[in-house]
PDB file of all heavy atoms in Angstrom:
ATOM      1  N   GLY A   1       1.013   2.978 -12.896  1.00 98.00           N
ATOM      2  CA  GLY A   1       1.562   2.680 -11.583  1.00 98.00           C
ATOM      3  C   GLY A   1       0.572   2.949 -10.477  1.00 98.00           C
ATOM      4  O   GLY A   1       0.435   2.158  -9.530  1.00 98.00           O
ATOM      5  N   ARG A   2      -0.134   4.073 -10.558  1.00 98.00           N
ATOM      6  CA  ARG A   2      -1.140   4.382  -9.536  1.00 98.00           C
ATOM      7  C   ARG A   2      -2.276   3.365  -9.554  1.00 98.00           C
ATOM      8  O   ARG A   2      -2.771   2.959  -8.498  1.00 98.00           O
ATOM      9  CB  ARG A   2      -1.675   5.793  -9.733  1.00 98.00           C
ATOM     10  CG  ARG A   2      -0.673   6.884  -9.351  1.00 98.00           C
ATOM     11  CD  ARG A   2      -1.337   8.250  -9.288  1.00 98.00           C
ATOM     12  NE  ARG A   2      -1.852   8.661 -10.588  1.00 98.00           N
ATOM     13  CZ  ARG A   2      -1.121   9.293 -11.509  1.00 98.00           C
ATOM     14  NH1 ARG A   2       0.157   9.558 -11.283  1.00 98.00           N
ATOM     15  NH2 ARG A   2      -1.666   9.655 -12.648  1.00 98.00           N
ATOM     16  N   ARG A   3      -2.665   2.934 -10.756  1.00 98.00           N
ATOM     17  CA  ARG A   3      -3.716   1.908 -10.846  1.00 98.00           C
ATOM     18  C   ARG A   3      -3.243   0.606 -10.198  1.00 98.00           C
ATOM     19  O   ARG A   3      -4.013  -0.072  -9.490  1.00 98.00           O
ATOM     20  CB  ARG A   3      -4.108   1.670 -12.309  1.00 98.00           C
ATOM     21  CG  ARG A   3      -5.030   2.729 -12.878  1.00 98.00           C
ATOM     22  CD  ARG A   3      -5.628   2.292 -14.193  1.00 98.00           C
ATOM     23  NE  ARG A   3      -4.623   2.275 -15.248  1.00 98.00           N
ATOM     24  CZ  ARG A   3      -4.358   3.299 -16.037  1.00 98.00           C
ATOM     25  NH1 ARG A   3      -5.003   4.448 -15.876  1.00 98.00           N
ATOM     26  NH2 ARG A   3      -3.448   3.211 -16.994  1.00 98.00           N
ATOM     27  N   LEU A   4      -1.993   0.251 -10.437  1.00 98.00           N
ATOM     28  CA  LEU A   4      -1.454  -0.977  -9.854  1.00 98.00           C
ATOM     29  C   LEU A   4      -1.382  -0.871  -8.329  1.00 98.00           C
ATOM     30  O   LEU A   4      -1.711  -1.831  -7.617  1.00 98.00           O
ATOM     31  CB  LEU A   4      -0.072  -1.249 -10.434  1.00 98.00           C
ATOM     32  CG  LEU A   4       0.635  -2.529  -9.976  1.00 98.00           C
ATOM     33  CD1 LEU A   4      -0.223  -3.759 -10.273  1.00 98.00           C
ATOM     34  CD2 LEU A   4       1.988  -2.653 -10.652  1.00 98.00           C
ATOM     35  N   LEU A   5      -0.961   0.279  -7.832  1.00 98.00           N
ATOM     36  CA  LEU A   5      -0.905   0.468  -6.384  1.00 98.00           C
ATOM     37  C   LEU A   5      -2.300   0.392  -5.772  1.00 98.00           C
ATOM     38  O   LEU A   5      -2.484  -0.203  -4.697  1.00 98.00           O
ATOM     39  CB  LEU A   5      -0.244   1.803  -6.046  1.00 98.00           C
ATOM     40  CG  LEU A   5       1.263   1.877  -6.283  1.00 98.00           C
ATOM     41  CD1 LEU A   5       1.755   3.317  -6.158  1.00 98.00           C
ATOM     42  CD2 LEU A   5       2.024   0.970  -5.321  1.00 98.00           C
ATOM     43  N   ARG A   6      -3.276   0.980  -6.428  1.00 98.00           N
ATOM     44  CA  ARG A   6      -4.646   0.894  -5.924  1.00 98.00           C
ATOM     45  C   ARG A   6      -5.110  -0.570  -5.845  1.00 98.00           C
ATOM     46  O   ARG A   6      -5.705  -0.998  -4.843  1.00 98.00           O
ATOM     47  CB  ARG A   6      -5.604   1.681  -6.828  1.00 98.00           C
ATOM     48  CG  ARG A   6      -5.523   3.179  -6.670  1.00 98.00           C
ATOM     49  CD  ARG A   6      -6.481   3.874  -7.631  1.00 98.00           C
ATOM     50  NE  ARG A   6      -6.492   5.309  -7.439  1.00 98.00           N
ATOM     51  CZ  ARG A   6      -7.240   5.932  -6.549  1.00 98.00           C
ATOM     52  NH1 ARG A   6      -8.061   5.225  -5.769  1.00 98.00           N
ATOM     53  NH2 ARG A   6      -7.195   7.250  -6.415  1.00 98.00           N
ATOM     54  N   GLU A   7      -4.819  -1.320  -6.893  1.00 98.00           N
ATOM     55  CA  GLU A   7      -5.199  -2.732  -6.911  1.00 98.00           C
ATOM     56  C   GLU A   7      -4.508  -3.494  -5.789  1.00 98.00           C
ATOM     57  O   GLU A   7      -5.110  -4.334  -5.110  1.00 98.00           O
ATOM     58  CB  GLU A   7      -4.833  -3.342  -8.264  1.00 98.00           C
ATOM     59  CG  GLU A   7      -5.131  -4.824  -8.386  1.00 98.00           C
ATOM     60  CD  GLU A   7      -4.660  -5.402  -9.698  1.00 98.00           C
ATOM     61  OE1 GLU A   7      -4.381  -4.614 -10.636  1.00 98.00           O
ATOM     62  OE2 GLU A   7      -4.539  -6.644  -9.801  1.00 98.00           O
ATOM     63  N   TYR A   8      -3.233  -3.191  -5.596  1.00 98.00           N
ATOM     64  CA  TYR A   8      -2.460  -3.859  -4.546  1.00 98.00           C
ATOM     65  C   TYR A   8      -3.069  -3.601  -3.176  1.00 98.00           C
ATOM     66  O   TYR A   8      -3.340  -4.528  -2.403  1.00 98.00           O
ATOM     67  CB  TYR A   8      -1.012  -3.356  -4.598  1.00 98.00           C
ATOM     68  CG  TYR A   8      -0.178  -3.781  -3.416  1.00 98.00           C
ATOM     69  CD1 TYR A   8       0.454  -5.019  -3.385  1.00 98.00           C
ATOM     70  CD2 TYR A   8      -0.020  -2.935  -2.310  1.00 98.00           C
ATOM     71  CE1 TYR A   8       1.215  -5.412  -2.294  1.00 98.00           C
ATOM     72  CE2 TYR A   8       0.748  -3.320  -1.221  1.00 98.00           C
ATOM     73  CZ  TYR A   8       1.354  -4.559  -1.221  1.00 98.00           C
ATOM     74  OH  TYR A   8       2.094  -4.946  -0.131  1.00 98.00           O
ATOM     75  N   TYR A   9      -3.272  -2.331  -2.828  1.00 98.00           N
ATOM     76  CA  TYR A   9      -3.782  -2.001  -1.494  1.00 98.00           C
ATOM     77  C   TYR A   9      -5.211  -2.494  -1.290  1.00 98.00           C
ATOM     78  O   TYR A   9      -5.599  -2.836  -0.165  1.00 98.00           O
ATOM     79  CB  TYR A   9      -3.705  -0.494  -1.260  1.00 98.00           C
ATOM     80  CG  TYR A   9      -2.294   0.019  -1.031  1.00 98.00           C
ATOM     81  CD1 TYR A   9      -1.671   0.847  -1.964  1.00 98.00           C
ATOM     82  CD2 TYR A   9      -1.585  -0.312   0.114  1.00 98.00           C
ATOM     83  CE1 TYR A   9      -0.388   1.328  -1.765  1.00 98.00           C
ATOM     84  CE2 TYR A   9      -0.298   0.157   0.333  1.00 98.00           C
ATOM     85  CZ  TYR A   9       0.299   0.978  -0.612  1.00 98.00           C
ATOM     86  OH  TYR A   9       1.578   1.443  -0.409  1.00 98.00           O
ATOM     87  N   ARG A  10      -5.996  -2.530  -2.351  1.00 98.00           N
ATOM     88  CA  ARG A  10      -7.377  -2.982  -2.197  1.00 98.00           C
ATOM     89  C   ARG A  10      -7.449  -4.442  -1.770  1.00 98.00           C
ATOM     90  O   ARG A  10      -8.416  -4.866  -1.139  1.00 98.00           O
ATOM     91  CB  ARG A  10      -8.149  -2.765  -3.501  1.00 98.00           C
ATOM     92  CG  ARG A  10      -8.545  -1.304  -3.718  1.00 98.00           C
ATOM     93  CD  ARG A  10      -9.091  -1.070  -5.102  1.00 98.00           C
ATOM     94  NE  ARG A  10      -9.437   0.336  -5.314  1.00 98.00           N
ATOM     95  CZ  ARG A  10      -9.525   0.910  -6.504  1.00 98.00           C
ATOM     96  NH1 ARG A  10      -9.291   0.197  -7.603  1.00 98.00           N
ATOM     97  NH2 ARG A  10      -9.851   2.183  -6.609  1.00 98.00           N
ATOM     98  N   GLY A  11      -6.417  -5.224  -2.108  1.00 98.00           N
ATOM     99  CA  GLY A  11      -6.394  -6.608  -1.637  1.00 98.00           C
ATOM    100  C   GLY A  11      -6.392  -6.683  -0.118  1.00 98.00           C
ATOM    101  O   GLY A  11      -7.014  -7.581   0.483  1.00 98.00           O
ATOM    102  N   TYR A  12      -5.732  -5.726   0.524  1.00 98.00           N
ATOM    103  CA  TYR A  12      -5.664  -5.703   1.986  1.00 98.00           C
ATOM    104  C   TYR A  12      -6.895  -5.036   2.596  1.00 98.00           C
ATOM    105  O   TYR A  12      -7.289  -5.363   3.721  1.00 98.00           O
ATOM    106  CB  TYR A  12      -4.359  -5.034   2.428  1.00 98.00           C
ATOM    107  CG  TYR A  12      -3.184  -5.835   1.912  1.00 98.00           C
ATOM    108  CD1 TYR A  12      -2.564  -5.500   0.700  1.00 98.00           C
ATOM    109  CD2 TYR A  12      -2.757  -6.979   2.565  1.00 98.00           C
ATOM    110  CE1 TYR A  12      -1.527  -6.266   0.192  1.00 98.00           C
ATOM    111  CE2 TYR A  12      -1.716  -7.747   2.075  1.00 98.00           C
ATOM    112  CZ  TYR A  12      -1.108  -7.395   0.881  1.00 98.00           C
ATOM    113  OH  TYR A  12      -0.096  -8.168   0.368  1.00 98.00           O
ATOM    114  N   VAL A  13      -7.518  -4.147   1.839  1.00 98.00           N
ATOM    115  CA  VAL A  13      -8.831  -3.638   2.251  1.00 98.00           C
ATOM    116  C   VAL A  13      -9.797  -4.803   2.418  1.00 98.00           C
ATOM    117  O   VAL A  13     -10.552  -4.883   3.404  1.00 98.00           O
ATOM    118  CB  VAL A  13      -9.375  -2.629   1.218  1.00 98.00           C
ATOM    119  CG1 VAL A  13     -10.844  -2.314   1.496  1.00 98.00           C
ATOM    120  CG2 VAL A  13      -8.546  -1.351   1.218  1.00 98.00           C
ATOM    121  N   GLU A  14      -9.763  -5.739   1.472  1.00 98.00           N
ATOM    122  CA  GLU A  14     -10.689  -6.878   1.528  1.00 98.00           C
ATOM    123  C   GLU A  14     -10.378  -7.799   2.700  1.00 98.00           C
ATOM    124  O   GLU A  14     -11.291  -8.367   3.307  1.00 98.00           O
ATOM    125  CB  GLU A  14     -10.655  -7.649   0.207  1.00 98.00           C
ATOM    126  CG  GLU A  14     -11.198  -6.861  -0.970  1.00 98.00           C
ATOM    127  CD  GLU A  14     -12.572  -6.266  -0.683  1.00 98.00           C
ATOM    128  OE1 GLU A  14     -13.446  -7.010  -0.149  1.00 98.00           O
ATOM    129  OE2 GLU A  14     -12.768  -5.072  -0.964  1.00 98.00           O
ATOM    130  N   ILE A  15      -9.109  -7.969   3.027  1.00 98.00           N
ATOM    131  CA  ILE A  15      -8.760  -8.795   4.197  1.00 98.00           C
ATOM    132  C   ILE A  15      -9.289  -8.138   5.468  1.00 98.00           C
ATOM    133  O   ILE A  15      -9.876  -8.796   6.335  1.00 98.00           O
ATOM    134  CB  ILE A  15      -7.238  -9.005   4.277  1.00 98.00           C
ATOM    135  CG1 ILE A  15      -6.754  -9.842   3.084  1.00 98.00           C
ATOM    136  CG2 ILE A  15      -6.852  -9.682   5.595  1.00 98.00           C
ATOM    137  CD1 ILE A  15      -5.248  -9.946   2.970  1.00 98.00           C
ATOM    138  N   ALA A  16      -9.099  -6.830   5.588  1.00 98.00           N
ATOM    139  CA  ALA A  16      -9.616  -6.121   6.759  1.00 98.00           C
ATOM    140  C   ALA A  16     -11.134  -6.234   6.836  1.00 98.00           C
ATOM    141  O   ALA A  16     -11.704  -6.460   7.915  1.00 98.00           O
ATOM    142  CB  ALA A  16      -9.190  -4.654   6.711  1.00 98.00           C
ATOM    143  N   ARG A  17     -11.799  -6.095   5.693  1.00 98.00           N
ATOM    144  CA  ARG A  17     -13.258  -6.200   5.681  1.00 98.00           C
ATOM    145  C   ARG A  17     -13.705  -7.604   6.089  1.00 98.00           C
ATOM    146  O   ARG A  17     -14.652  -7.769   6.868  1.00 98.00           O
ATOM    147  CB  ARG A  17     -13.793  -5.848   4.295  1.00 98.00           C
ATOM    148  CG  ARG A  17     -15.313  -5.915   4.193  1.00 98.00           C
ATOM    149  CD  ARG A  17     -15.799  -5.420   2.847  1.00 98.00           C
ATOM    150  NE  ARG A  17     -15.641  -3.981   2.723  1.00 98.00           N
ATOM    151  CZ  ARG A  17     -14.882  -3.381   1.826  1.00 98.00           C
ATOM    152  NH1 ARG A  17     -14.188  -4.094   0.961  1.00 98.00           N
ATOM    153  NH2 ARG A  17     -14.807  -2.059   1.785  1.00 98.00           N
ATOM    154  N   ALA A  18     -13.012  -8.623   5.590  1.00 97.00           N
ATOM    155  CA  ALA A  18     -13.399 -10.006   5.895  1.00 97.00           C
ATOM    156  C   ALA A  18     -13.282 -10.315   7.378  1.00 97.00           C
ATOM    157  O   ALA A  18     -14.032 -11.151   7.905  1.00 97.00           O
ATOM    158  CB  ALA A  18     -12.538 -10.971   5.085  1.00 97.00           C
ATOM    159  N   HIS A  19     -12.349  -9.648   8.051  1.00 96.00           N
ATOM    160  CA  HIS A  19     -12.118  -9.929   9.472  1.00 96.00           C
ATOM    161  C   HIS A  19     -12.635  -8.824  10.375  1.00 96.00           C
ATOM    162  O   HIS A  19     -12.368  -8.840  11.577  1.00 96.00           O
ATOM    163  CB  HIS A  19     -10.626 -10.170   9.706  1.00 96.00           C
ATOM    164  CG  HIS A  19     -10.135 -11.421   9.051  1.00 96.00           C
ATOM    165  ND1 HIS A  19     -10.222 -12.657   9.642  1.00 96.00           N
ATOM    166  CD2 HIS A  19      -9.598 -11.629   7.820  1.00 96.00           C
ATOM    167  CE1 HIS A  19      -9.743 -13.580   8.818  1.00 96.00           C
ATOM    168  NE2 HIS A  19      -9.358 -12.969   7.707  1.00 96.00           N
ATOM    169  N   ASP A  20     -13.388  -7.889   9.786  1.00 96.00           N
ATOM    170  CA  ASP A  20     -13.961  -6.794  10.562  1.00 96.00           C
ATOM    171  C   ASP A  20     -12.879  -6.133  11.413  1.00 96.00           C
ATOM    172  O   ASP A  20     -13.071  -5.857  12.607  1.00 96.00           O
ATOM    173  CB  ASP A  20     -15.105  -7.316  11.446  1.00 96.00           C
ATOM    174  CG  ASP A  20     -16.007  -6.202  11.951  1.00 96.00           C
ATOM    175  OD1 ASP A  20     -15.913  -5.085  11.405  1.00 96.00           O
ATOM    176  OD2 ASP A  20     -16.777  -6.440  12.901  1.00 96.00           O
ATOM    177  N   ALA A  21     -11.734  -5.898  10.777  1.00 97.00           N
ATOM    178  CA  ALA A  21     -10.562  -5.380  11.481  1.00 97.00           C
ATOM    179  C   ALA A  21     -10.199  -4.002  10.943  1.00 97.00           C
ATOM    180  O   ALA A  21     -10.463  -3.685   9.777  1.00 97.00           O
ATOM    181  CB  ALA A  21      -9.374  -6.319  11.302  1.00 97.00           C
ATOM    182  N   PRO A  22      -9.571  -3.173  11.747  1.00 98.00           N
ATOM    183  CA  PRO A  22      -9.059  -1.900  11.238  1.00 98.00           C
ATOM    184  C   PRO A  22      -7.892  -2.144  10.284  1.00 98.00           C
ATOM    185  O   PRO A  22      -7.243  -3.194  10.346  1.00 98.00           O
ATOM    186  CB  PRO A  22      -8.613  -1.156  12.499  1.00 98.00           C
ATOM    187  CG  PRO A  22      -8.355  -2.228  13.507  1.00 98.00           C
ATOM    188  CD  PRO A  22      -9.300  -3.344  13.187  1.00 98.00           C
ATOM    189  N   LEU A  23      -7.644  -1.177   9.428  1.00 98.00           N
ATOM    190  CA  LEU A  23      -6.631  -1.307   8.384  1.00 98.00           C
ATOM    191  C   LEU A  23      -5.559  -0.244   8.557  1.00 98.00           C
ATOM    192  O   LEU A  23      -5.838   0.907   8.894  1.00 98.00           O
ATOM    193  CB  LEU A  23      -7.279  -1.144   7.009  1.00 98.00           C
ATOM    194  CG  LEU A  23      -6.366  -1.169   5.788  1.00 98.00           C
ATOM    195  CD1 LEU A  23      -5.716  -2.544   5.615  1.00 98.00           C
ATOM    196  CD2 LEU A  23      -7.145  -0.793   4.528  1.00 98.00           C
ATOM    197  N   ARG A  24      -4.325  -0.652   8.296  1.00 98.00           N
ATOM    198  CA  ARG A  24      -3.181   0.252   8.307  1.00 98.00           C
ATOM    199  C   ARG A  24      -2.610   0.286   6.890  1.00 98.00           C
ATOM    200  O   ARG A  24      -2.166  -0.739   6.360  1.00 98.00           O
ATOM    201  CB  ARG A  24      -2.148  -0.260   9.303  1.00 98.00           C
ATOM    202  CG  ARG A  24      -0.827   0.505   9.335  1.00 98.00           C
ATOM    203  CD  ARG A  24       0.122  -0.222  10.273  1.00 98.00           C
ATOM    204  NE  ARG A  24       1.484   0.275  10.213  1.00 98.00           N
ATOM    205  CZ  ARG A  24       2.057   1.034  11.147  1.00 98.00           C
ATOM    206  NH1 ARG A  24       1.377   1.390  12.218  1.00 98.00           N
ATOM    207  NH2 ARG A  24       3.308   1.427  11.021  1.00 98.00           N
ATOM    208  N   LEU A  25      -2.633   1.463   6.265  1.00 98.00           N
ATOM    209  CA  LEU A  25      -2.079   1.646   4.930  1.00 98.00           C
ATOM    210  C   LEU A  25      -0.777   2.425   5.048  1.00 98.00           C
ATOM    211  O   LEU A  25      -0.739   3.511   5.635  1.00 98.00           O
ATOM    212  CB  LEU A  25      -3.053   2.419   4.037  1.00 98.00           C
ATOM    213  CG  LEU A  25      -4.359   1.714   3.659  1.00 98.00           C
ATOM    214  CD1 LEU A  25      -5.267   2.671   2.887  1.00 98.00           C
ATOM    215  CD2 LEU A  25      -4.089   0.461   2.829  1.00 98.00           C
ATOM    216  N   GLU A  26       0.294   1.881   4.466  1.00 98.00           N
ATOM    217  CA  GLU A  26       1.611   2.505   4.543  1.00 98.00           C
ATOM    218  C   GLU A  26       2.051   2.956   3.154  1.00 98.00           C
ATOM    219  O   GLU A  26       1.935   2.208   2.179  1.00 98.00           O
ATOM    220  CB  GLU A  26       2.624   1.525   5.129  1.00 98.00           C
ATOM    221  CG  GLU A  26       2.234   1.083   6.538  1.00 98.00           C
ATOM    222  CD  GLU A  26       3.191   0.091   7.160  1.00 98.00           C
ATOM    223  OE1 GLU A  26       4.067  -0.441   6.433  1.00 98.00           O
ATOM    224  OE2 GLU A  26       3.075  -0.149   8.370  1.00 98.00           O
ATOM    225  N   THR A  27       2.559   4.168   3.067  1.00 99.00           N
ATOM    226  CA  THR A  27       2.920   4.741   1.778  1.00 99.00           C
ATOM    227  C   THR A  27       4.051   3.960   1.109  1.00 99.00           C
ATOM    228  O   THR A  27       4.926   3.414   1.798  1.00 99.00           O
ATOM    229  CB  THR A  27       3.359   6.211   1.938  1.00 99.00           C
ATOM    230  OG1 THR A  27       4.442   6.281   2.881  1.00 99.00           O
ATOM    231  CG2 THR A  27       2.213   7.078   2.415  1.00 99.00           C
ATOM    232  N   PRO A  28       4.073   3.916  -0.222  1.00 98.00           N
ATOM    233  CA  PRO A  28       5.128   3.199  -0.953  1.00 98.00           C
ATOM    234  C   PRO A  28       6.395   4.038  -1.097  1.00 98.00           C
ATOM    235  O   PRO A  28       6.962   4.176  -2.190  1.00 98.00           O
ATOM    236  CB  PRO A  28       4.474   2.930  -2.312  1.00 98.00           C
ATOM    237  CG  PRO A  28       3.585   4.112  -2.519  1.00 98.00           C
ATOM    238  CD  PRO A  28       3.050   4.456  -1.142  1.00 98.00           C
ATOM    239  N   THR A  29       6.863   4.595   0.024  1.00 98.00           N
ATOM    240  CA  THR A  29       7.927   5.601  -0.012  1.00 98.00           C
ATOM    241  C   THR A  29       9.185   5.163   0.730  1.00 98.00           C
ATOM    242  O   THR A  29       9.972   6.002   1.179  1.00 98.00           O
ATOM    243  CB  THR A  29       7.405   6.928   0.590  1.00 98.00           C
ATOM    244  OG1 THR A  29       6.844   6.665   1.896  1.00 98.00           O
ATOM    245  CG2 THR A  29       6.356   7.554  -0.305  1.00 98.00           C
ATOM    246  N   TRP A  30       9.388   3.864   0.867  1.00 98.00           N
ATOM    247  CA  TRP A  30      10.542   3.332   1.579  1.00 98.00           C
ATOM    248  C   TRP A  30      11.865   3.849   1.004  1.00 98.00           C
ATOM    249  O   TRP A  30      12.838   4.042   1.719  1.00 98.00           O
ATOM    250  CB  TRP A  30      10.472   1.805   1.529  1.00 98.00           C
ATOM    251  CG  TRP A  30      11.493   1.061   2.316  1.00 98.00           C
ATOM    252  CD1 TRP A  30      11.585   0.955   3.669  1.00 98.00           C
ATOM    253  CD2 TRP A  30      12.562   0.268   1.779  1.00 98.00           C
ATOM    254  NE1 TRP A  30      12.642   0.144   4.022  1.00 98.00           N
ATOM    255  CE2 TRP A  30      13.260  -0.291   2.874  1.00 98.00           C
ATOM    256  CE3 TRP A  30      12.991  -0.030   0.488  1.00 98.00           C
ATOM    257  CZ2 TRP A  30      14.372  -1.123   2.708  1.00 98.00           C
ATOM    258  CZ3 TRP A  30      14.081  -0.859   0.323  1.00 98.00           C
ATOM    259  CH2 TRP A  30      14.769  -1.398   1.428  1.00 98.00           C
ATOM    260  N   ARG A  31      11.887   4.097  -0.309  1.00 98.00           N
ATOM    261  CA  ARG A  31      13.095   4.602  -0.966  1.00 98.00           C
ATOM    262  C   ARG A  31      13.014   6.088  -1.321  1.00 98.00           C
ATOM    263  O   ARG A  31      13.921   6.614  -1.987  1.00 98.00           O
ATOM    264  CB  ARG A  31      13.350   3.826  -2.256  1.00 98.00           C
ATOM    265  CG  ARG A  31      13.856   2.402  -2.080  1.00 98.00           C
ATOM    266  CD  ARG A  31      15.228   2.361  -1.457  1.00 98.00           C
ATOM    267  NE  ARG A  31      15.939   1.121  -1.761  1.00 98.00           N
ATOM    268  CZ  ARG A  31      16.778   0.518  -0.932  1.00 98.00           C
ATOM    269  NH1 ARG A  31      17.006   1.045   0.267  1.00 98.00           N
ATOM    270  NH2 ARG A  31      17.398  -0.593  -1.273  1.00 98.00           N
ATOM    271  N   ALA A  32      11.976   6.790  -0.902  1.00 98.00           N
ATOM    272  CA  ALA A  32      11.756   8.165  -1.360  1.00 98.00           C
ATOM    273  C   ALA A  32      12.481   9.182  -0.484  1.00 98.00           C
ATOM    274  O   ALA A  32      11.896  10.142   0.014  1.00 98.00           O
ATOM    275  CB  ALA A  32      10.265   8.466  -1.420  1.00 98.00           C
ATOM    276  N   SER A  33      13.787   8.976  -0.321  1.00 98.00           N
ATOM    277  CA  SER A  33      14.630   9.910   0.419  1.00 98.00           C
ATOM    278  C   SER A  33      15.778  10.364  -0.484  1.00 98.00           C
ATOM    279  O   SER A  33      15.957   9.846  -1.592  1.00 98.00           O
ATOM    280  CB  SER A  33      15.155   9.263   1.696  1.00 98.00           C
ATOM    281  OG  SER A  33      15.973   8.141   1.408  1.00 98.00           O
ATOM    282  N   ALA A  34      16.563  11.309   0.000  1.00 98.00           N
ATOM    283  CA  ALA A  34      17.467  12.073  -0.872  1.00 98.00           C
ATOM    284  C   ALA A  34      18.452  11.228  -1.668  1.00 98.00           C
ATOM    285  O   ALA A  34      18.565  11.372  -2.892  1.00 98.00           O
ATOM    286  CB  ALA A  34      18.213  13.110  -0.040  1.00 98.00           C
ATOM    287  N   ASP A  35      19.211  10.356  -1.001  1.00 97.00           N
ATOM    288  CA  ASP A  35      20.247   9.606  -1.720  1.00 97.00           C
ATOM    289  C   ASP A  35      19.647   8.670  -2.759  1.00 97.00           C
ATOM    290  O   ASP A  35      20.128   8.590  -3.901  1.00 97.00           O
ATOM    291  CB  ASP A  35      21.095   8.804  -0.736  1.00 97.00           C
ATOM    292  CG  ASP A  35      22.021   9.680   0.089  1.00 97.00           C
ATOM    293  OD1 ASP A  35      22.040  10.907  -0.128  1.00 97.00           O
ATOM    294  OD2 ASP A  35      22.727   9.141   0.964  1.00 97.00           O
ATOM    295  N   TRP A  36      18.613   7.942  -2.359  1.00 97.00           N
ATOM    296  CA  TRP A  36      17.978   7.008  -3.292  1.00 97.00           C
ATOM    297  C   TRP A  36      17.251   7.769  -4.398  1.00 97.00           C
ATOM    298  O   TRP A  36      17.290   7.370  -5.567  1.00 97.00           O
ATOM    299  CB  TRP A  36      17.026   6.086  -2.549  1.00 97.00           C
ATOM    300  CG  TRP A  36      17.722   5.195  -1.571  1.00 97.00           C
ATOM    301  CD1 TRP A  36      17.809   5.350  -0.217  1.00 97.00           C
ATOM    302  CD2 TRP A  36      18.475   4.013  -1.886  1.00 97.00           C
ATOM    303  NE1 TRP A  36      18.548   4.335   0.337  1.00 97.00           N
ATOM    304  CE2 TRP A  36      18.971   3.498  -0.663  1.00 97.00           C
ATOM    305  CE3 TRP A  36      18.766   3.333  -3.068  1.00 97.00           C
ATOM    306  CZ2 TRP A  36      19.743   2.344  -0.594  1.00 97.00           C
ATOM    307  CZ3 TRP A  36      19.539   2.175  -3.008  1.00 97.00           C
ATOM    308  CH2 TRP A  36      20.017   1.704  -1.786  1.00 97.00           C
ATOM    309  N   GLY A  37      16.589   8.856  -4.040  1.00 98.00           N
ATOM    310  CA  GLY A  37      15.887   9.636  -5.043  1.00 98.00           C
ATOM    311  C   GLY A  37      16.827  10.200  -6.091  1.00 98.00           C
ATOM    312  O   GLY A  37      16.517  10.198  -7.290  1.00 98.00           O
ATOM    313  N   ALA A  38      17.995  10.675  -5.652  1.00 98.00           N
ATOM    314  CA  ALA A  38      18.956  11.242  -6.594  1.00 98.00           C
ATOM    315  C   ALA A  38      19.388  10.210  -7.630  1.00 98.00           C
ATOM    316  O   ALA A  38      19.617  10.546  -8.801  1.00 98.00           O
ATOM    317  CB  ALA A  38      20.165  11.783  -5.840  1.00 98.00           C
TER     318      ALA A  38
END
């Protein structure tokens, strides 16, 4: 899973590099709260 996430985010690293733009990385934690986690 961590390898897949790295591959996923690196795709956007390349877009930022291609456009000489800053990058915003957001954690994959949209569901990582108490009710969903339980």
Side-chain angles (χ1 to χ4, degrees):
R2 288 192 297 274
R3 282 193 289 269
L4 182 57
L5 288 170
R6 285 179 176 275
E7 178 184 344
Y8 170 85
Y9 287 112
R10 283 170 181 157
Y12 298 94
V13 169
E14 294 309 314
I15 294 172
R17 181 174 289 118
H19 293 275
D20 197 14
L23 177 66
R24 174 186 170 106
L25 292 174
E26 300 179 349
T27 56
T29 53
W30 186 71
R31 287 295 203 214
S33 62
D35 288 358
W36 296 101

